[in-house]
Amino acid sequence: MFTKILIANRGEIACRVIKTAKRMGIATVAVYSDADARAPFVRMADEAVHIGPATASESYLVADKIIAAAKQTGAEAVHPGYGFLSERASFVEALEAEGIAFIGPPVNAIAAMGDKIESKRIAKDAGVNTVPGSPDAIETTKDALKWANDIGYPVMMKASAGGGGKGMRLAWNDKDVEEGFEATQREGLNSFGDDRVFIEKFIEDPRHIEIQILGDKHGNIIYLNERECSIQRRHQKVVEEAPSPFVTPKMRKAMGEQCVALSQAVGYHSAGTVELIVSGADKTGESFYFLEMNTRLQVEHPVTEAITGVDLVEQMIRVAAGEKLAMTQDDVKIDGWAIENRVYAEDPYRGFLPSTGRLVRYQPPVEPWADDGQENGRRGVDGVRVDDGVFEGGEVSMFYDPMIAKLVTWGETRDEAADLQIAALDAFRIEGLGHNVDFLSAIMQHPRFRSGELTTGFIAEEYPDGFTGAPASDQLTRVLAAVAGVIATADADRARRVEGQLSDDLYAPGDWTVRIGEREEGSTSHEVRLEEAALTVDGEPVMLEMQYTPGETMVDVALFENGADDDADPVARYTLQLRSTRTGYAITTRGATHHLRILQTRVAHLAAHMIEKTPPDLSKMLICPMPGLLVKLHVAEGEEVQPGQPLATVEAMKMENILRAEKQATVGKINAAEGDSLAVDEVILELE
């Protein structure tokens, strides 16, 4: 077994590998860029080596610097994590030349599976179902149009070396191909150093299901069941679960055996994942096709660990050290259900735009996962596990992936795991930048998610006009109004106790009018009354159990059935995050922030005379919606533009975003130039 390994990665996956290595008694070496000098993974490692500037192309992607750090510290092996150099065959060859072990698959498997065109050919030869598409790379837009029409729309344009949702574009017609083919080539070149692009048929109503593979150097290969990863946005996974609600035992066996056959065809060892696209319309489960093989550890590996009990990182290390697998296919079981949500630094209320910046507050619902080696320890604390690599006061940088943390829950059933997600997301406190916690909670509550009727189009179909927060049930609305009355009374009671602030003869008011809604139109009004032994909302009694001290920012609330005994169980539990506003509170829970205006009932009628502020008209400006780089200006001053016409392309988090005209207009003043770094809400150009 190795005595020291180097982790050629950063963030949560570096922390993840370090924790397991330490449990195994293996010393660890971290490498870090300027941006990560104070990162948790650097502090966790036994040694740390600085490898360059913040830009990944000058640090984490420079193989020579990684190898030099390994030689400098005497590391015997390198774990690549995911992303960066994890699937670069030349990196593995360079390590082997220096006598340093690679904790991953053999170089020939990485090379074969890393090329989407070659991998598809190998899969077909191995008897794996494949999707119709171009057999080789396509050079020009003209050729792309020919292939798209021959295959039949819709088609997917993919960078051959792509992955992680980058270098992929869906085309429904010739116009989409004309606009997107060259952009796909650029993304492939910029992100992976390879501009080859191929085209394949897009399966409508598709489900994304992947099989976890594990093999050793002695020819033993097994599959550790499947993961459902259908809920995606821009081909980037958002929610993953294991097992899949769609897969039957017969499907699992057929998929697993085909994926093992593919792995055997390339002499695979270590952990890997074969991704399949499955037709959700075919209930027989026979319409599944090879998509690609990821020759590395997946982001979503914890859900497989939770239901199988297998530590995939430990197995990767043992396989790299030459050990045989200690398990066979018959040993692989399914125990319960696990769901993973990716908590991203992005703002779902603004079209999911990247939201980099400082984590002013960062308090996960449980302590970050610690690999203590205990049975079922991979399920976290009471079924809740947080894998992260950030800290309060740290910064989510524009240079790397926007993921803040992975929230994993395990339950006996799928509904139990989803309910745990909702409760944990309510208690996940993040301030200082935009995040998608509300959106994730909304998905967990969505009836379609609960039914298991998933496709990769879930988000686009269920939120076609964007995300505005999860809808509140009547029960939740009554709870919010009741809680508002309780905390308003408590705040008023504290205020009257401040000497000289109020007359000693005054009592805290108990009659409140609570308006829920940010603006007058569309808001709902509720009359809340607190008496010595009763709490009513609109005249109906509400039984709550809660403790609140003025100034608290998080409150746990239990709702009981009216007339329930003292030892009765609550009908619902809520965790509420409170933020004081000028006239009340903003309360965040169950996937939305609810703005509550709390007024004493005797003066509430006067609020109707207050004039609401109207927002300014920004329709004549093209505003940068996220921090990014202005890659291209598509128009010039004085040019007439039509609705939908591209105006500018902004790159953020290595993804190109085309900003289009919303109406017919003439370009007036242009305020930015190509190559400029833009701040959020910066005006790029003005329209007349």
Side-chain angles (χ1 to χ4, degrees):
M1 181 50 64
F2 307 118
T3 58
K4 183 186 289 187
I5 66 173
L6 181 146
I7 297 90
N9 218 297
R10 62 174 300 280
E12 67 87 12
I13 189 57
C15 294
R16 165 73 182 90
V17 176
I18 290 169
K19 289 172 184 176
T20 292
K22 285 194 172 186
R23 175 174 57 78
M24 296 175 69
I26 301 171
T28 56
V29 179
V31 292
Y32 65 94
S33 70
D34 290 345
D36 285 331
R38 296 174 60 237
F41 76 93
V42 176
R43 299 195 301 270
M44 287 174 59
D46 296 298
E47 299 175 66
V49 179
H50 176 250
I51 56 170
T55 307
S57 60
E58 299 179 78
S59 52
Y60 297 107
L61 286 170
V62 182
D64 289 345
K65 291 184 176 182
I66 304 295
I67 294 170
K71 293 170 68 175
Q72 172 189 330
T73 57
E76 303 154 279
V78 170
H79 194 301
Y82 51 74
F84 294 142
L85 298 172
S86 62
E87 295 179 281
R88 186 169 295 183
S90 60
F91 177 55
V92 182
E93 290 174 332
L95 286 172
E96 291 176 350
E98 297 291 343
I100 301 170
F102 179 69
I103 303 175
V107 65
N108 62 295
I110 295 174
M113 294 294 100
D115 185 327
K116 287 186 170 60
I117 296 171
E118 176 68 7
S119 65
K120 188 175 178 181
R121 182 191 63 76
I122 295 173
K124 191 172 183 179
D125 291 344
V128 181
N129 304 338
T130 56
V131 181
S134 61
D136 300 302
I138 296 170
E139 300 292 337
T140 66
T141 301
K142 181 179 178 182
D143 290 337
L145 286 167
K146 181 180 183 302
W147 269 107
N149 282 280
D150 288 346
I151 296 168
Y153 290 107
V155 298
M156 183 69 78
M157 298 177 287
K158 292 184 176 182
S160 183
K166 296 181 177 68
M168 299 173 67
R169 272 182 167 74
L170 178 60
W172 292 92
N173 49 48
D174 287 358
K175 182 181 178 182
D176 290 344
V177 173
E178 290 167 354
E179 286 189 359
F181 180 75
E182 291 183 3
T184 307
Q185 286 182 314
R186 286 196 300 271
E187 283 185 7
L189 184 63
N190 292 338
S191 296
F192 309 102
D194 187 341
D195 67 352
R196 291 178 302 154
V197 173
F198 70 102
I199 290 179
E200 66 182 18
K201 180 70 176 176
F202 177 72
I203 307 299
E204 296 187 71
D205 296 328
R207 298 181 80 116
H208 186 120
I209 294 172
E210 58 190 33
I211 300 292
Q212 176 68 58
I213 292 294
L214 182 62
D216 62 25
K217 296 180 179 180
H218 305 276
N220 303 304
I221 303 177
I222 60 175
Y223 63 92
L224 281 75
N225 307 313
E226 80 285 350
R227 295 184 289 258
E228 171 102 38
C229 307
S230 295
I231 298 184
Q232 305 176 4
R233 191 186 61 77
R234 294 183 69 176
H235 314 297
Q236 182 79 38
K237 298 167 190 173
V238 177
V239 181
E240 300 102 351
E241 59 182 307
S244 163
F246 182 72
V247 172
T248 63
K250 181 181 177 182
M251 289 172 63
R252 183 174 298 118
K253 186 173 187 292
M255 290 175 174
E257 289 177 350
Q258 283 197 19
C259 295
V260 167
L262 172 62
S263 302
Q264 290 171 334
V266 293
Y268 201 88
H269 60 72
S270 194
T273 296
V274 180
E275 301 199 354
L276 305 170
I277 191 165
V278 183
S279 173
D282 184 0
K283 299 302 180 183
T284 68
E286 296 176 358
S287 298
F288 64 87
Y289 305 96
F290 171 76
L291 196 60
E292 63 181 348
M293 185 173 190
N294 292 313
T295 55
R296 53 168 168 80
L297 192 67
Q298 292 281 92
V299 175
E300 58 272 21
H301 73 272
V303 293
T304 295
E305 294 183 331
I307 67 164
T308 63
V310 177
D311 186 322
L312 287 168
V313 172
E314 178 181 347
Q315 292 301 317
M316 292 179 75
I317 295 172
R318 293 191 180 280
V319 167
E323 294 186 14
K324 286 186 177 181
L325 292 182
M327 69 196 82
T328 66
Q329 192 64 58
D330 291 339
D331 296 322
V332 179
K333 307 298 181 186
I334 297 178
D335 181 12
W337 213 287
I339 298 174
E340 175 180 295
N341 275 310
R342 301 189 187 189
V343 180
Y344 281 127
E346 63 182 15
D347 191 345
Y349 295 99
R350 300 186 64 184
F352 299 93
L353 296 174
S355 180
T356 57
R358 191 164 302 283
L359 285 165
V360 177
R361 291 282 183 274
Y362 177 72
Q363 297 172 4
V366 297
E367 287 296 313
W369 178 74
D371 188 357
D372 56 10
Q374 298 297 311
E375 185 178 1
N376 296 332
R378 281 168 288 281
R379 294 172 181 170
V381 179
D382 296 326
V384 180
R385 168 176 166 177
V386 174
D387 283 21
D388 63 17
V390 299
F391 64 100
E392 187 169 282
E395 189 170 341
V396 177
S397 169
M398 65 177 287
F399 297 104
Y400 313 119
D401 187 273
M403 189 165 65
I404 298 171
K406 301 185 306 195
L407 178 65
V408 184
T409 56
W410 177 90
E412 294 285 352
T413 66
R414 187 170 185 266
D415 279 343
E416 284 183 26
D419 288 343
L420 274 174
Q421 281 283 343
I422 295 168
L425 288 164
D426 276 353
F428 214 131
R429 188 178 178 198
I430 301 172
E431 296 177 15
L433 43 70
H435 57 79
N436 66 340
V437 167
D438 283 356
F439 181 64
L440 297 174
S441 180
I443 292 175
M444 294 295 100
Q445 300 172 64
H446 201 288
R448 182 174 163 189
F449 173 80
R450 290 298 185 128
S451 73
E453 295 296 322
L454 311 178
T455 71
T456 56
F458 176 92
I459 291 176
E461 292 160 7
E462 299 302 326
Y463 302 96
D465 301 320
F467 179 70
T468 56
S473 65
D474 290 342
Q475 175 178 285
L476 177 57
T477 299
R478 288 170 57 78
V479 169
L480 291 174
V483 168
V486 172
I487 62 178
T489 297
D491 288 347
D493 186 59
R494 180 181 183 277
R496 79 177 181 85
R497 294 173 187 272
V498 177
E499 185 176 358
Q501 181 168 328
L502 295 173
S503 167
D504 292 338
D505 297 332
L506 291 180
Y507 291 95
D511 293 316
W512 303 95
T513 296
V514 179
R515 289 180 179 156
I516 304 177
E518 197 163 4
R519 301 186 67 80
E520 194 69 28
E521 67 271 11
S523 65
T524 59
S525 182
H526 304 274
E527 301 301 320
V528 181
R529 183 175 180 82
L530 277 77
E531 298 177 308
E532 187 171 342
L535 169 62
T536 62
V537 176
D538 300 328
E540 297 291 329
V542 177
M543 287 188 65
L544 296 181
E545 183 179 277
M546 60 178 286
Q547 291 185 341
Y548 170 75
T549 301
E552 284 188 303
T553 57
M554 190 173 290
V555 176
D556 291 321
V557 178
L559 173 67
F560 293 86
E561 188 175 348
N562 289 326
D565 297 333
D566 291 342
D567 58 351
D569 292 329
V571 296
R573 293 184 182 275
Y574 301 90
T575 297
L576 311 181
Q577 295 190 34
L578 312 177
R579 178 171 55 83
S580 179
T581 62
R582 186 171 58 85
T583 57
Y585 280 89
I587 301 181
T588 302
T589 190
R590 291 294 193 272
T593 297
H594 306 274
H595 294 268
L596 279 66
R597 192 175 187 184
I598 309 170
L599 301 170
Q600 292 183 44
T601 298
R602 63 185 179 84
V603 298
H605 66 282
L606 299 175
H609 300 288
M610 300 296 291
I611 299 174
E612 289 198 55
K613 184 179 179 181
T614 56
D617 180 14
L618 303 177
S619 63
K620 293 185 177 181
M621 300 177 183
L622 180 66
I623 296 175
C624 187
M626 83 291 273
L629 180 70
L630 182 57
V631 176
K632 188 173 181 60
L633 275 170
H634 299 279
V635 294
E637 291 184 359
E639 183 177 338
E640 290 190 7
V641 296
Q642 302 298 320
Q645 181 176 336
L647 300 178
T649 299
V650 176
E651 181 184 291
M653 297 292 184
K654 298 183 181 178
M655 297 290 285
E656 290 189 0
N657 302 272
I658 300 176
L659 308 182
R660 302 176 184 274
E662 295 183 358
K663 60 184 179 181
Q664 184 176 353
T666 301
V667 178
K669 182 182 178 183
I670 295 179
N671 300 313
E674 291 180 2
D676 285 356
S677 292
L678 304 175
V680 64
D681 292 336
E682 187 170 339
V683 178
I684 300 173
L685 56 84
E686 299 172 18
L687 300 170
E688 298 174 349

